[in-house]
Amino acid sequence: LIDRYGLDATKYFLIRQMPTGADGLFTPESFVEIYNSDLCNDLGNLLNRTIAMCNKYFDGNIPDYAGLDNDQDIELEEFQKSIIERVENKINEYEFASSLQTIWELVSKANKYIDETKPWELAKIGENDDKELKEAQLKSVIYHLCATLKQIAILIRPLMKDTSDEILRQLGLSNDVKWSDLDNYYDIHNAKVIEKSEPIFVRLNVQEEINYIQGLMKK
């Protein structure tokens, strides 16, 4: 599994599906489903969309945080704080499966945040629009997405270091991060994302991969 799907993807599935002190269930179908949904659709697409919008609207530069918050920004800020606290508690209790599931709540929240804030509409300046306000709002949205992805990279780092490194690299951020950096949500300065996002997980052909894993299980 590691040779074909990578260490982090394999670890993610095994940790997520096998809670500490309890039995877990492995099936080829569930492995492929979770790989495609959690890793490709949720985390991978979040990074891809963020990198693409940062390049499209700001020439790849992560905009400075201007201190302009709308309701969705504030909600995301408060949500990520609650996630950090919950993950810390779960890791301290060795509940690694639950900690990953909790982190993915933040991944889902960030994807929902994109749909709620509609940055593609903020980028369109109509004749009667307040140009400065919409530009400030767009900067705030893209900054919050980049900052949240940095938080996610730090949160998954104890369990998925390679993926954490890759997220930080694509954001143009140093991978010299510590858990305490989770307190520094507003400290991204002069960062530039890569010119084109690169898939961190490539979507699997469901039946082909199920057949492959079933073949491994017969050996």
Side-chain angles (χ1 to χ4, degrees):
L1 289 177
I2 293 172
D3 288 342
R4 190 171 180 93
Y5 307 110
L7 177 60
D8 280 4
T10 305
K11 286 167 62 180
Y12 177 81
F13 178 85
L14 295 176
I15 294 170
R16 184 185 183 281
Q17 293 298 99
M18 299 181 183
T20 304
D23 293 333
L25 177 65
F26 177 92
T27 68
E29 293 81 3
S30 60
F31 181 90
V32 175
E33 178 185 357
I34 287 174
Y35 183 105
N36 279 342
S37 62
D38 290 19
L39 300 178
C40 293
N41 292 352
D42 294 343
L43 181 58
N45 281 345
L46 174 62
L47 179 62
N48 290 345
R49 295 170 81 186
T50 301
I51 295 293
M53 289 188 291
C54 201
N55 277 306
K56 183 176 183 179
Y57 303 134
F58 299 107
D59 295 323
N61 298 297
I62 297 178
D64 291 334
Y65 177 65
L68 176 68
D69 288 321
N70 57 30
D71 290 342
Q72 291 93 344
D73 295 344
I74 295 170
E75 185 178 342
L76 180 61
E77 291 170 22
E78 294 303 317
F79 189 78
Q80 61 89 22
K81 289 178 184 177
S82 70
I83 290 293
I84 292 170
E85 182 178 354
R86 288 168 57 196
V87 171
E88 287 178 336
N89 290 336
K90 291 179 184 300
I91 288 179
N92 288 336
E93 295 170 2
Y94 305 102
E95 296 181 7
F96 300 118
S98 185
S99 69
L100 277 181
Q101 292 166 12
T102 302
I103 294 167
W104 252 253
E105 291 180 32
L106 181 56
V107 175
S108 297
K109 182 69 173 179
N111 276 309
K112 183 181 178 183
Y113 171 79
I114 295 176
D115 296 332
E116 290 175 340
T117 56
K118 297 180 175 61
W120 51 89
E121 291 188 3
L122 293 173
K124 296 177 182 178
I125 308 298
E127 184 177 335
N128 298 318
D129 289 334
D130 184 330
K131 184 175 182 292
E132 289 188 3
L133 176 60
K134 291 192 76 172
E135 287 179 347
Q137 290 173 332
L138 181 59
K139 287 181 179 179
S140 183
V141 168
I142 301 304
Y143 179 89
H144 277 80
L145 288 171
C146 293
T148 300
L149 273 164
K150 179 184 176 183
Q151 302 288 75
I152 290 169
I154 296 172
L155 287 167
I156 66 173
R157 197 166 186 79
L159 303 174
M160 302 172 68
K161 184 179 183 299
D162 290 345
T163 303
S164 173
D165 282 344
E166 184 60 16
I167 291 171
L168 294 169
R169 182 188 73 82
Q170 293 202 31
L171 289 172
L173 302 174
S174 170
N175 65 2
D176 183 19
V177 292
K178 306 179 292 296
W179 193 262
S180 59
D181 291 329
L182 289 167
D183 296 330
N184 303 321
Y185 190 72
Y186 303 107
D187 70 342
I188 300 176
H189 303 293
N190 302 318
K192 188 178 180 70
V193 304
I194 62 173
E195 292 185 2
K196 186 176 180 181
S197 61
E198 301 167 4
I200 50 176
F201 297 101
V202 178
R203 186 169 182 81
L204 303 178
N205 179 289
V206 175
Q207 195 56 55
E208 180 180 333
E209 299 307 322
I210 288 174
N211 292 342
Y212 173 80
I213 297 172
Q214 286 175 339
L216 290 178
M217 296 172 71
K218 291 177 182 178
K219 292 182 179 180

